[in-house]
Amino acid sequence: MGKLLIVGTVAFDAIETPFGKTDKILGGAATFIGLAASQFKTSSAIVSVVGDDFPGEYLDLFTKRNIDISGIDIVEGGKTFFWSGKYHNDLNSRDTLSTELNVLANFNPIVPENFRDASVVMLGNLHPNIQKEVIDQMVKRPKLIVMDTMNYWMNHSWDELVEVIKKVDVLTINDEEARQLTNEYSLVRAASEILKMGPRYVVIKKGEHGALLFHEGHIFFAPALPLEEVFDPTGAGDTFAGGFVGYLAETQNVSFNNLRNAVIHGANLASFCVEKFGTERLEELKKQELNRRLHQFRELTQFDIELQ
Ligand code: AMP
C-alpha cells in the first residue's frame, strides 16, 4: 500500500450556483483531494493549516477515513482560509467573489516524519512556495509528484510558480489556465509548451467536457460522465486529482497506460462531487457506486469499428 502525501487548502467555502446558495461550508483543495483519494487503498496524510475557528467535527471526518492529520497546523486565534464563488448559468465558468488567505498567508508546512518517504505527492492548489517547501522536505525523490494550480497564483506569484512546475512529473490544470500559462489557444499547443517547462505529463481538465492527458506526443481523452443533474461543480477539479493520485498510490505504477486509468478514476470521482453542494456527495459515497459508474464510463467510450 503506497503512501500518499497531500498538501493544499483546508477551507471554508461559500458557494452560489443557479440552484442555491450556501453559508460557510467545508471546502479546500486538500479536503476534496483527501476525501476522493480515501476511496483507494492508500495511507494518506494532509499537510495544511486552519484557524481555531475550524470545527473539530470537520477534522474528525478526515480521521474517520484514515487520513493522517498530524500535518494540519491549527493556529490559535487565526482565521481559516476562506473562498467564495458564484457560478454562471452554464456551471462551466465561475467568478471568484473573495479569497481571504488568512492563516495561509504565513503558513510553513511541516511534512510529518512518517510521510517524508511518500511515493506519491499531490501538491494541491496553493501558494507555489508552500508547494516547493513540501518537495524540499521529502527524504527521497517520490515516484510521482503531481501539481495542481490556478489563475490566482499565475496572477500573484508567477516566478515561484514556474520554479515549482520545473520540479514536478504531472501538472493538472484547467483549460483556461493552460491557455493563460502558455499564451496558446490550442490546448494541444498549450500542453506541449507545458511539457517543455518540466513535467512529463500534463492533464488538462475541461469541466463537463472531460479531461485530456498528454505525454510525449500521445494524447488520451477521458469524458466527463453526462449527468442529468449538476448541482455544484466546486471541488470537481480537486476531486479529479484525488481520484487520480489515490489510484496511482494504490497501484504504484506510473506508466502512461496506468495514468490513463487514473484519469478515468479521477473523472469517475468528479462525476459524484458535482451532484451535491460542497463535499456532501463525497462524504456519503460508496465503493459500489464508484464501481457501477466505471461500467458506464466504459460503455460511453467503447466502440467496435474494424480498423483497416
Ligand atoms: P476547484 O473547484 O476544483 O477549482 O476547487 C475549489 C476549491 O479550491 C474550493 O474548495 C476553495 O476553497 C479552493 N480554492 C479556491 N481558491 C483557492 C486558492 N487561491 N488557493 C487555494 N485553494 C483555493
Side-chain angles (χ1 to χ4, degrees):
M1 189 160 71
K3 282 189 200 171
L4 169 66
L5 177 69
I6 300 160
V7 58
T9 44
V10 170
F12 287 131
D13 288 349
I15 303 158
E16 208 177 319
T17 80
F19 313 110
K21 210 174 154 169
T22 68
D23 286 329
K24 282 187 178 182
I25 56 170
L26 173 63
T31 302
F32 286 101
I33 295 166
L35 291 178
S38 71
Q39 293 288 344
F40 297 88
K41 291 189 196 79
T42 64
S43 163
S44 53
I46 292 180
V47 170
S48 192
V49 62
V50 293
D52 61 8
D53 55 349
F54 196 74
E57 76 208 55
Y58 286 168
L59 293 172
D60 293 344
L61 201 72
F62 296 128
T63 319
K64 272 195 215 128
R65 287 164 179 268
N66 281 327
I67 301 170
D68 184 316
I69 57 162
S70 59
I72 302 185
D73 187 14
I74 303 169
V75 178
E76 283 287 308
K79 275 178 78 183
T80 300
F81 174 83
F82 172 70
W83 175 80
S84 73
K86 184 177 173 175
Y87 286 85
H88 302 158
N89 276 342
D90 70 354
L91 285 175
N92 251 343
S93 54
R94 71 182 176 206
D95 294 323
T96 288
L97 303 178
S98 103
T99 301
E100 294 174 17
L101 295 180
N102 298 329
V103 288
L104 195 68
N106 298 310
F107 177 45
N108 291 313
I110 310 231
V111 178
E113 285 291 339
N114 54 336
F115 275 87
R116 291 189 179 192
D117 60 352
S119 54
V120 179
V121 174
M122 177 69 225
L123 305 171
N125 171 31
L126 88 185
H127 195 298
N129 283 351
I130 301 177
Q131 295 177 316
K132 180 176 172 295
E133 278 175 49
V134 166
I135 299 178
D136 291 345
Q137 289 174 45
M138 302 310 287
V139 290
K140 64 174 193 206
R141 176 66 167 79
K143 236 182 184 158
L144 199 74
I145 305 180
V146 183
M147 172 188 186
D148 189 45
T149 192
M150 74 186 291
N151 50 0
Y152 183 89
W153 304 111
M154 291 180 211
N155 300 335
H156 291 84
S157 314
W158 177 267
D159 292 343
E160 297 94 322
L161 184 67
V162 172
E163 275 312 298
V164 189
I165 292 177
K166 274 187 200 156
K167 295 175 184 285
V168 305
D169 302 296
V170 186
L171 182 70
T172 67
I173 192 167
N174 79 25
D175 41 5
E176 280 319 305
E177 291 153 0
R179 291 183 173 119
Q180 184 176 344
L181 187 62
T182 58
N183 268 324
E184 290 285 359
Y185 185 80
S186 147
L187 294 180
V188 178
R189 287 212 180 123
S192 68
E193 285 307 308
I194 295 170
L195 290 173
K196 284 184 204 153
M197 294 168 82
R200 288 185 287 140
Y201 297 97
V202 183
V203 178
I204 299 186
K205 300 169 286 182
K206 289 152 48 73
E208 68 168 327
H209 305 299
L212 294 160
L213 168 68
F214 295 86
H215 172 63
E216 288 176 357
H218 302 282
I219 308 179
F220 175 70
F221 172 66
L225 203 69
L227 296 168
E228 246 171 72
E229 225 163 19
V230 175
F231 208 68
D232 168 23
T234 307
D238 303 310
T239 302
F240 174 94
F244 181 79
V245 290
Y247 173 75
L248 292 172
E250 177 179 314
T251 54
Q252 292 290 303
N253 172 349
V254 297
S255 66
F256 178 58
N257 257 345
N258 206 43
L259 261 74
R260 290 157 53 120
N261 294 340
V263 167
I264 297 290
H265 281 287
N268 191 19
L269 270 141
S271 77
F272 288 98
C273 171
V274 301
E275 289 183 333
K276 289 193 175 170
F277 266 120
T279 56
E280 214 180 317
R281 187 69 177 94
L282 290 184
E283 287 178 45
E284 64 190 21
L285 183 60
K286 303 273 177 308
K287 194 78 183 174
Q288 300 92 289
E289 294 177 290
L290 276 167
N291 289 340
R292 226 174 289 139
R293 234 174 234 190
L294 275 180
H295 285 95
Q296 285 176 262
F297 266 95
R298 199 150 66 180
E299 221 167 89
L300 189 67
T301 49
Q302 238 173 13
F303 59 90
D304 206 5
I305 298 174
E306 235 176 81
L307 298 175
Q308 308 291 319

